[in-house]
Amino acid sequence: MEDSSRMEHSIVSLTDDLLLEILSRVPYKSLCRLKSVSKSWLALCSDPIVRKKAPQTLSGFFFQSYREPTFNPSNLHHHFTNLSGRGQPMVDVIDPSLNFLFSANYVEVRFVHCCNDLLLCCCKESSDGECDRVVFNPATEKWTVLPKTEARLGRYAMHLGFDPTVSSHFTVFLLSKRMRLIIHHQVRAVEIYSSQTGRWTYHQSQWGEKSIEIFSSSVFYNGALHVTTLDSSVNRVDTGGKIWRTVPMPYYSRFIGMSQGLLYAVYSPRYSSQLSIWVLKDYGGKEWSLKQAINSVESFGTHNIFFEDGVPPDVIAIHPECSLVFMILGPRRNIVSYNIDNRKVHDICNLADQSVFPYLPYIPCFAEWFSDGH
């Protein structure tokens, strides 16, 4: 009791400014726990200045399904699951139903892509209406509509790039495609939107004949978009459309991502129980190192990932700060995390059959990044 009183007296003796500075360095999840200490702590931990500065990490996943009940006429229901799979889904931080977008006269919201704390969605004011491309922050409920571009009339894919540690501005890459096969496309041009200028710029593709899939994996890394190709390589273009590069990979990888400052690729061949995780330790070079080869049957235990149609597990994310790979396994479609270091598997949630691509890893951020948003 005496130690507790001494600690409380020490805390009280600190000025509010100093307390705010200390708390702003505490991870947001810890701040949520500290709110229950007392009313004064609740007020301090809820201070907008503290929330904006607090360090953030991967907190969970947004996904969508046709499961009832739905909150919009398109019959799409929006979900968020914590990384642990337990507890309420950050209800004090985000509204998984995205009601703030529906209150803006949108009747349909479809996930397209994400990067850190920003999401890119297709939003419609009527079921047969034109699609608005909207970038928004679920934590602050700030959003902005991208200006129109003629490239949307053809086949294209859109990828979001944003690194809050480098800049408060985001970039959207629109890859205009020419069909080669049913799901294989060549990129003929890339249009790049900058939130700093508020404009699209057109760039003829310099990636040559390499093909990508409709849902190619991508990552925003070192200030550039990286997207996988069907030719066992990664295509790269920077935010200014000035630097184009192709980085060879050891195999065609179904997933690329960034973790602990390094580029990772996961190779999962069809009709096989093997997974291999590769890392590009020297970004300036082309040498990929095998991080780990996984025998899925042995590593995942009760999770049987032998499918009759030979479809490998879907890798959906890698933790940006530690050796965790997230994937969807088995006929029950479970999101699980796999720890590369100790080979342990943790169940996060069951998606059921109604869930639909994509599955978006989310890092909350409370800073006001948009100057032109709604």
Side-chain angles (χ1 to χ4, degrees), residues 28-48:
Y28 183 74
K29 287 186 177 180
S30 299
L31 285 179
C32 291
R33 290 192 289 268
L34 291 173
K35 288 180 180 180
S36 60
V37 173
S38 66
K39 290 183 178 180
S40 60
W41 278 90
L42 173 62
L44 284 169
C45 296
S46 301
D47 190 287

Short mmCIF file of all heavy atoms in Angstrom, two decimals, residues 28-48:
data_model
loop_
_atom_site.label_atom_id
_atom_site.label_comp_id
_atom_site.label_asym_id
_atom_site.label_seq_id
_atom_site.Cartn_x
_atom_site.Cartn_y
_atom_site.Cartn_z
N TYR A 28 -0.66 2.33 -28.35
CA TYR A 28 -2.07 2.64 -28.14
C TYR A 28 -2.79 1.55 -27.35
O TYR A 28 -3.65 1.84 -26.51
CB TYR A 28 -2.78 2.87 -29.46
CG TYR A 28 -4.21 3.26 -29.27
CD1 TYR A 28 -4.55 4.54 -28.83
CD2 TYR A 28 -5.24 2.34 -29.47
CE1 TYR A 28 -5.86 4.90 -28.61
CE2 TYR A 28 -6.56 2.70 -29.26
CZ TYR A 28 -6.86 3.98 -28.83
OH TYR A 28 -8.16 4.33 -28.61
N LYS A 29 -2.46 0.28 -27.58
CA LYS A 29 -3.13 -0.80 -26.85
C LYS A 29 -2.89 -0.67 -25.35
O LYS A 29 -3.77 -0.95 -24.54
CB LYS A 29 -2.63 -2.16 -27.36
CG LYS A 29 -3.16 -2.52 -28.73
CD LYS A 29 -2.76 -3.93 -29.11
CE LYS A 29 -3.34 -4.33 -30.45
NZ LYS A 29 -2.97 -5.71 -30.84
N SER A 30 -1.69 -0.24 -24.96
CA SER A 30 -1.39 -0.04 -23.54
C SER A 30 -2.17 1.16 -23.00
O SER A 30 -2.62 1.14 -21.84
CB SER A 30 0.11 0.17 -23.34
OG SER A 30 0.84 -0.96 -23.78
N LEU A 31 -2.33 2.19 -23.81
CA LEU A 31 -3.11 3.35 -23.39
C LEU A 31 -4.55 2.95 -23.06
O LEU A 31 -5.14 3.44 -22.09
CB LEU A 31 -3.14 4.42 -24.48
CG LEU A 31 -1.87 5.25 -24.67
CD1 LEU A 31 -2.08 6.23 -25.82
CD2 LEU A 31 -1.50 6.00 -23.41
N CYS A 32 -5.11 2.05 -23.87
CA CYS A 32 -6.49 1.60 -23.63
C CYS A 32 -6.61 0.93 -22.26
O CYS A 32 -7.61 1.11 -21.55
CB CYS A 32 -6.93 0.64 -24.73
SG CYS A 32 -7.14 1.43 -26.34
N ARG A 33 -5.59 0.18 -21.86
CA ARG A 33 -5.62 -0.48 -20.55
C ARG A 33 -5.45 0.54 -19.42
O ARG A 33 -6.05 0.42 -18.36
CB ARG A 33 -4.54 -1.55 -20.48
CG ARG A 33 -4.81 -2.76 -21.36
CD ARG A 33 -3.88 -3.91 -21.02
NE ARG A 33 -2.51 -3.63 -21.45
CZ ARG A 33 -2.02 -3.98 -22.62
NH1 ARG A 33 -2.78 -4.62 -23.48
NH2 ARG A 33 -0.77 -3.71 -22.93
N LEU A 34 -4.63 1.57 -19.66
CA LEU A 34 -4.38 2.58 -18.63
C LEU A 34 -5.60 3.46 -18.36
O LEU A 34 -5.70 4.09 -17.30
CB LEU A 34 -3.20 3.46 -19.04
CG LEU A 34 -1.82 2.79 -19.04
CD1 LEU A 34 -0.78 3.73 -19.61
CD2 LEU A 34 -1.44 2.37 -17.62
N LYS A 35 -6.55 3.50 -19.30
CA LYS A 35 -7.74 4.33 -19.12
C LYS A 35 -8.55 3.92 -17.90
O LYS A 35 -9.27 4.73 -17.32
CB LYS A 35 -8.63 4.25 -20.36
CG LYS A 35 -8.08 4.98 -21.57
CD LYS A 35 -9.03 4.84 -22.75
CE LYS A 35 -8.50 5.56 -23.99
NZ LYS A 35 -9.43 5.42 -25.13
N SER A 36 -8.46 2.65 -17.53
CA SER A 36 -9.27 2.14 -16.42
C SER A 36 -8.67 2.41 -15.05
O SER A 36 -9.27 2.07 -14.02
CB SER A 36 -9.48 0.62 -16.59
OG SER A 36 -8.22 -0.06 -16.58
N VAL A 37 -7.48 3.03 -15.00
CA VAL A 37 -6.83 3.30 -13.72
C VAL A 37 -7.63 4.29 -12.89
O VAL A 37 -7.91 4.08 -11.71
CB VAL A 37 -5.39 3.81 -13.94
CG1 VAL A 37 -4.77 4.26 -12.61
CG2 VAL A 37 -4.53 2.74 -14.59
N SER A 38 -8.02 5.40 -13.50
CA SER A 38 -8.79 6.43 -12.80
C SER A 38 -9.38 7.38 -13.83
O SER A 38 -9.05 7.31 -15.02
CB SER A 38 -7.89 7.20 -11.82
OG SER A 38 -6.92 7.95 -12.53
N LYS A 39 -10.24 8.29 -13.36
CA LYS A 39 -10.84 9.27 -14.27
C LYS A 39 -9.79 10.21 -14.86
O LYS A 39 -9.89 10.61 -16.02
CB LYS A 39 -11.92 10.06 -13.53
CG LYS A 39 -13.17 9.26 -13.19
CD LYS A 39 -14.23 10.13 -12.54
CE LYS A 39 -15.48 9.32 -12.25
NZ LYS A 39 -16.54 10.15 -11.61
N SER A 40 -8.81 10.58 -14.04
CA SER A 40 -7.77 11.48 -14.55
C SER A 40 -6.93 10.78 -15.61
O SER A 40 -6.54 11.39 -16.61
CB SER A 40 -6.88 11.96 -13.40
OG SER A 40 -6.25 10.87 -12.74
N TRP A 41 -6.64 9.49 -15.42
CA TRP A 41 -5.90 8.73 -16.42
C TRP A 41 -6.73 8.55 -17.68
O TRP A 41 -6.20 8.55 -18.79
CB TRP A 41 -5.48 7.37 -15.86
CG TRP A 41 -4.23 7.45 -15.03
CD1 TRP A 41 -4.15 7.68 -13.70
CD2 TRP A 41 -2.90 7.33 -15.51
NE1 TRP A 41 -2.84 7.70 -13.31
CE2 TRP A 41 -2.03 7.48 -14.40
CE3 TRP A 41 -2.33 7.11 -16.77
CZ2 TRP A 41 -0.66 7.42 -14.51
CZ3 TRP A 41 -0.96 7.04 -16.87
CH2 TRP A 41 -0.14 7.20 -15.75
N LEU A 42 -8.02 8.37 -17.51
CA LEU A 42 -8.92 8.25 -18.67
C LEU A 42 -8.84 9.51 -19.52
O LEU A 42 -8.74 9.45 -20.76
CB LEU A 42 -10.36 8.01 -18.22
CG LEU A 42 -11.44 8.03 -19.31
CD1 LEU A 42 -11.20 6.92 -20.32
CD2 LEU A 42 -12.83 7.88 -18.69
N ALA A 43 -8.86 10.67 -18.86
CA ALA A 43 -8.79 11.93 -19.59
C ALA A 43 -7.45 12.10 -20.29
O ALA A 43 -7.38 12.51 -21.45
CB ALA A 43 -9.04 13.10 -18.63
N LEU A 44 -6.37 11.74 -19.59
CA LEU A 44 -5.03 11.89 -20.17
C LEU A 44 -4.84 10.96 -21.37
O LEU A 44 -4.33 11.35 -22.42
CB LEU A 44 -3.97 11.60 -19.11
CG LEU A 44 -3.71 12.71 -18.08
CD1 LEU A 44 -2.84 12.19 -16.95
CD2 LEU A 44 -3.06 13.91 -18.75
N CYS A 45 -5.26 9.70 -21.22
CA CYS A 45 -5.05 8.71 -22.28
C CYS A 45 -5.97 8.93 -23.47
O CYS A 45 -5.73 8.39 -24.55
CB CYS A 45 -5.24 7.30 -21.73
SG CYS A 45 -4.02 6.83 -20.48
N SER A 46 -7.04 9.71 -23.26
CA SER A 46 -7.96 10.00 -24.36
C SER A 46 -7.62 11.31 -25.05
O SER A 46 -8.29 11.69 -26.02
CB SER A 46 -9.40 10.07 -23.83
OG SER A 46 -9.77 8.85 -23.22
N ASP A 47 -6.60 12.00 -24.57
CA ASP A 47 -6.22 13.28 -25.16
C ASP A 47 -5.84 13.09 -26.63
O ASP A 47 -5.05 12.20 -26.96
CB ASP A 47 -5.04 13.87 -24.40
CG ASP A 47 -4.75 15.32 -24.80
OD1 ASP A 47 -4.23 15.51 -25.91
OD2 ASP A 47 -5.04 16.22 -24.00
N PRO A 48 -6.39 13.89 -27.54
CA PRO A 48 -6.09 13.74 -28.98
C PRO A 48 -4.61 13.83 -29.30
O PRO A 48 -4.11 13.15 -30.20
CB PRO A 48 -6.87 14.89 -29.62
CG PRO A 48 -7.97 15.20 -28.65
CD PRO A 48 -7.39 14.95 -27.30
#
